Amino acid sequence: MEATDAFGRRVRLPRDQYRKEVLPELLKAHGNDPERLTAVLVEGLRQGFANDLVAAANRLAVIDKEPERSLPLLAIVQRDAGDLDAAEFTLNELLQKRPGSPSAQVGLAMLAEQRGDAARAESLLWQAVQRDPNHADAVHGYLQLRHRAVGDAGYRAELDKLCALPDSWRPQLWLSRWLLQQSDPATAGTLLRDALAKAPDQSDALVMAANDLAAANQRELFAELVAPRFVPGRHHPHIGVLLLQFLAANQQHERGEQLLHQMYLHYGQMVGEALQPFTAEFDRMRLAKLPPLANPGAQPRIGLYRFERPCWFAGLDEPHWLMPQKGPEARQVLFLGLCVDGQPKVESGREEELGRLVRSVPLFLAEHVWLSTPHRGTAALPLVESGGWALVGRPWPEDQLAMQLGDRERAQTILVTGTLRVDGEQRRIDLWAYDCAQKARIGHAAAEGTAADLGSMVLQLMRELWPVLGGPADHQPPVGDSAFWARYLEGLGQHAALAVTLAGGMPKDRLYGLRYIVQWLQSLPLQEPRWQPGFWLYASGLCVLAQLGSPVPKEHARTVAEFFRQSPANSAFALLAAKPLRAVGREGFWGQRRAEVVAAAGGNAVYLEWLGRAEKPV
């Protein structure tokens, strides 16, 4: 079974656990809300839990002012629970309250068919469609029974019979489906135009038309009849998914990206998996239309971009209050991007993974130098002058690097260079610490394993290297397992591209996969909520993208608001929340707790100065 948690994540549960633990809580939580309770009951019926829904369905019948909604649903619950007599009693009650109710007649027809009385079922369904020729269940049920009775040869006549009923439009949808299957799109299009004009507010009519036109590959009719009518947030999300497929097939990436954003805003937690592929698809189309990058030549000019603070500083208005204070004796540990040794044998499609790895290891170690040693950590990553990351294939010349530093900085700096060797799934990382003042190497660390061992490898590197850098022996982070740190490393490597782009080091229009990056960053605090920098990295990614003008942060409003709601007032994320809440468009949530959070800061002058900057109008 699948359920959705407070952060909108899909979680899988054993069926019996869902029935015993989740379903009762949902029914209880929405016991006074007829619309929400109806939705829970319908989903419970779909999953086959009728026996567990009887009490709640009776509750709905009491609180709902619309008997045409509550009583047919109660009857279905009773019927599926095996109490046909109770279901019949409920439907007769509805007939007393609403004489001639098509919903009651449809329900009684279903009971009659279940009892083996097909003639009575057909009679009741005919009465229902005569009273309301557009009742979805009545039309479907009647056509199903008649198709079974007359076969394919007589089915068209049955469709025409219903279409002849006064004020009908739903039978025309069924006739247009049949015509599309008979390769007559012109006549089908005429019927659909008429039907959709008569039922402009019927989402299910648009769903049926969209499905049928997509299945028949009628792109022109789809563009004419479906695309202009679909309104995100009002209509069924399946229509939006079909429309995204249509836009992708027609290479309309700009409209596609706009619609994809709206789909994530309104339906991200419902159909997020179905939306996932479109980010890459529309990015591919957009990038293909950009002019080619200048050829860097055989010997491109390469520079180094320095992260003087941890990656999550980007976009957060310099939150120095988050950082441990370093004394004047603190040295700088400068980590260079890893060099790739030899000609690595990497599977096709995994080249980007290799590039992120050479960046993420120095970023990770530099961050932890700040957090767990007396020193300051800096990461220096190579960039091609024309824009974009560079992979360096030769070891860094430590003495030459040291000479590029100023005299004072050189006296206070330890360089850490390293190489990465790759052979299929195998990886080996070697790191060397070089004291610029002594002009000598002072330590070495190495780790090797498969790609799946990356987390444990980087923890081993830290344990071996930290005593050389003035940190504790056998150090490892206080929380998180190797799987989490592998994921965190990947997040750092992805986030770095955002930070460098914001700083102007790479062209903004070359960024791609932004949703994938932010979703990955979101997974970090969810996987290990005890590691506060995971929250900061996620917040930074959102703030950087907001400053770059991306709409993606708005798609994370629910998650950020929930993180803030659950965070104690004195937690680092709550103190920081003014920035990410603004980035996702939820400033109001900050205002509700601002006084509480500021009080928890205890008059910290550095924090209050930062907050003044963070709250300035944009």
Side-chain angles (χ1 to χ4, degrees):
M1 294 290 298
E2 285 192 346
T4 303
D5 68 7
F7 297 99
R9 292 176 298 176
R10 291 284 186 180
V11 293
R12 294 185 180 274
L13 298 172
R15 182 178 177 83
D16 196 52
Q17 181 183 354
Y18 180 91
R19 184 181 67 83
K20 291 179 179 179
E21 298 177 10
V22 178
L23 183 58
E25 290 301 315
L26 289 173
L27 295 170
K28 180 180 178 181
H30 303 303
N32 294 313
D33 185 336
E35 289 190 8
R36 297 296 297 274
L37 184 55
T38 296
V40 175
L41 289 168
V42 169
E43 179 62 19
L45 280 170
R46 191 177 71 84
Q47 300 293 347
F49 295 131
N51 288 313
D52 302 280
L53 304 175
V54 175
N58 276 293
R59 167 72 179 168
L60 177 64
V62 171
I63 65 172
D64 197 353
K65 296 180 180 180
E66 291 294 334
E68 284 276 359
R69 172 173 58 187
S70 59
L71 292 178
L73 185 53
L74 172 59
I76 295 173
V77 170
Q78 292 166 330
R79 184 198 69 201
D80 286 3
D83 194 345
L84 303 189
D85 291 339
E88 185 173 5
F89 180 87
T90 297
L91 292 166
N92 284 324
E93 179 185 348
L94 177 57
L95 282 174
Q96 290 178 353
K97 293 182 176 180
R98 297 285 191 275
S101 164
S103 296
Q105 291 168 332
V106 169
L108 290 169
M110 295 172 71
L111 289 175
E113 184 181 19
Q114 192 165 345
R115 286 166 168 161
D117 191 348
R120 174 167 168 74
E122 184 179 314
S123 174
L124 286 165
L125 287 169
W126 177 241
Q127 292 176 46
V129 294
Q130 285 183 303
R131 187 168 186 87
D132 182 358
N134 302 310
H135 192 285
D137 293 331
V139 171
H140 184 203
Y142 182 79
L143 287 173
Q144 193 174 42
L145 282 181
R146 293 304 301 156
H147 195 181
R148 191 184 306 162
V150 303
D152 291 344
Y155 187 53
R156 170 64 189 267
E158 299 297 334
L159 290 166
D160 289 337
K161 179 180 176 180
L162 291 189
C163 289
L165 293 172
D167 300 320
S168 65
W169 53 261
R170 191 175 295 278
Q172 282 80 345
L173 295 174
W174 286 92
L175 178 55
S176 71
R177 170 176 289 183
W178 183 84
L179 289 166
L180 288 170
Q181 293 169 350
Q182 305 303 311
S183 301
D184 186 359
T187 309
T190 299
L191 288 169
L192 286 174
R193 289 185 191 94
D194 183 58
L196 294 175
K198 290 179 178 177
D201 298 322
Q202 299 295 320
S203 181
D204 62 328
L206 193 58
V207 170
M208 187 170 176
N211 270 320
D212 293 346
L213 292 171
N217 198 29
Q218 293 296 321
R219 293 187 179 183
E220 291 186 5
L221 285 174
F222 192 96
E224 174 195 345
L225 299 175
V226 178
R229 287 180 166 85
F230 176 65
V231 179
R234 179 190 301 174
H235 294 121
H236 196 282
H238 183 62
I239 306 171
V241 174
L242 291 174
L243 183 51
L244 287 170
Q245 293 172 352
F246 169 81
L247 295 172
N250 287 276
Q251 301 290 304
Q252 298 182 40
H253 70 87
E254 292 181 351
R255 286 185 59 198
E257 180 56 41
Q258 292 169 3
L259 175 60
L260 184 58
H261 173 58
Q262 292 298 316
M263 290 292 291
Y264 268 106
L265 287 179
H266 293 284
Y267 310 113
Q269 282 130 25
M270 296 173 60
V271 294
E273 290 184 5
L275 300 179
Q276 281 275 13
F278 293 106
T279 290
E281 184 71 7
F282 294 134
D283 274 345
R284 182 189 61 77
M285 295 178 193
R286 177 179 59 81
L287 292 171
K289 293 183 178 181
L290 294 177
L293 289 171
N295 189 339
Q299 293 184 328
R301 293 176 60 86
I302 294 177
L304 289 172
Y305 182 89
R306 290 175 52 151
F307 288 83
E308 303 281 355
R309 297 290 187 273
C311 207
W312 33 259
F313 245 59
L316 295 177
D317 277 325
E318 301 290 314
H320 293 283
W321 54 273
L322 281 176
M323 303 290 292
Q325 299 301 305
K326 305 293 183 178
E329 73 285 355
R331 302 188 70 185
Q332 172 181 239
V333 184
L334 178 57
F335 294 86
L336 278 295
L338 300 182
C339 301
V340 180
D341 186 38
Q343 297 294 323
K345 300 176 182 178
V346 183
E347 292 181 21
S348 177
R350 298 183 65 176
E351 296 85 0
E352 289 189 15
E353 176 190 331
L354 176 65
R356 284 193 293 269
L357 178 56
V358 303
R359 299 189 293 273
S360 62
V361 170
L363 287 167
F364 173 84
L365 295 173
E367 174 183 310
H368 282 266
V369 163
W370 269 105
L371 299 177
S372 62
T373 80
H375 304 313
R376 296 172 284 110
T378 298
L381 305 181
L383 287 173
V384 180
E385 188 178 56
S386 58
W389 299 115
L391 281 181
V392 178
R394 292 180 296 176
W396 294 101
E398 296 155 326
D399 53 344
Q400 294 180 30
L401 287 171
M403 292 307 298
Q404 293 180 26
L405 304 176
D407 292 344
R408 182 175 180 181
E409 185 179 13
R410 188 184 314 119
Q412 294 182 327
T413 296
I414 298 173
L415 285 177
V416 179
T417 62
T419 61
L420 169 67
R421 293 185 180 92
V422 178
D423 185 4
E425 283 294 302
Q426 287 296 125
R427 279 104 173 95
R428 177 182 171 90
I429 299 174
D430 286 273
L431 301 176
W432 292 273
Y434 177 90
D435 190 312
C436 294
Q438 299 179 27
K439 298 182 180 180
R441 286 183 173 178
I442 57 175
H444 170 253
E448 58 184 315
T450 68
D453 299 323
L454 180 58
S456 58
M457 288 169 60
V458 77
L459 294 178
Q460 180 180 334
L461 291 170
M462 182 184 293
R463 286 193 297 270
E464 293 184 12
L465 196 61
W466 249 227
V468 178
L469 304 180
D474 295 324
H475 174 73
Q476 67 177 29
V479 298
D481 57 16
S482 59
F484 169 72
W485 291 115
R487 194 167 188 84
Y488 191 78
L489 278 169
E490 177 83 7
L492 287 171
Q494 295 180 0
H495 180 280
L498 305 182
V500 171
T501 301
L502 181 65
M506 290 197 293
K508 175 181 169 182
D509 59 1
R510 300 287 170 175
L511 274 178
Y512 61 93
L514 301 184
R515 285 190 183 84
Y516 300 146
I517 295 175
V518 181
Q519 287 166 3
W520 193 277
L521 298 180
Q522 174 190 316
S523 74
L524 299 175
L526 292 172
Q527 184 176 346
E528 181 48 270
R530 295 173 298 173
W531 183 247
Q532 273 287 310
F535 289 88
W536 310 340
L537 192 63
Y538 174 47
S540 171
L542 293 169
C543 291
V544 168
L545 284 180
Q547 291 178 41
L548 289 171
S550 169
V552 170
K554 296 292 194 299
E555 299 164 12
H556 287 254
R558 172 177 174 172
T559 302
V560 173
E562 184 63 20
F563 276 145
F564 183 51
R565 187 189 69 81
Q566 293 189 15
S567 297
N570 63 349
S571 69
F573 182 76
L575 292 164
L576 188 70
K579 288 293 294 184
L581 284 169
R582 171 180 284 183
V584 301
R586 289 292 185 270
E587 295 96 328
F589 283 78
W590 170 249
Q592 292 170 14
R593 291 187 66 190
R594 184 186 187 282
E596 174 194 7
V597 173
V598 171
N604 183 324
V606 178
Y607 171 74
L608 294 176
E609 181 186 3
W610 170 86
L611 184 60
R613 295 195 304 271
E615 291 182 324
K616 280 185 179 179
V618 178

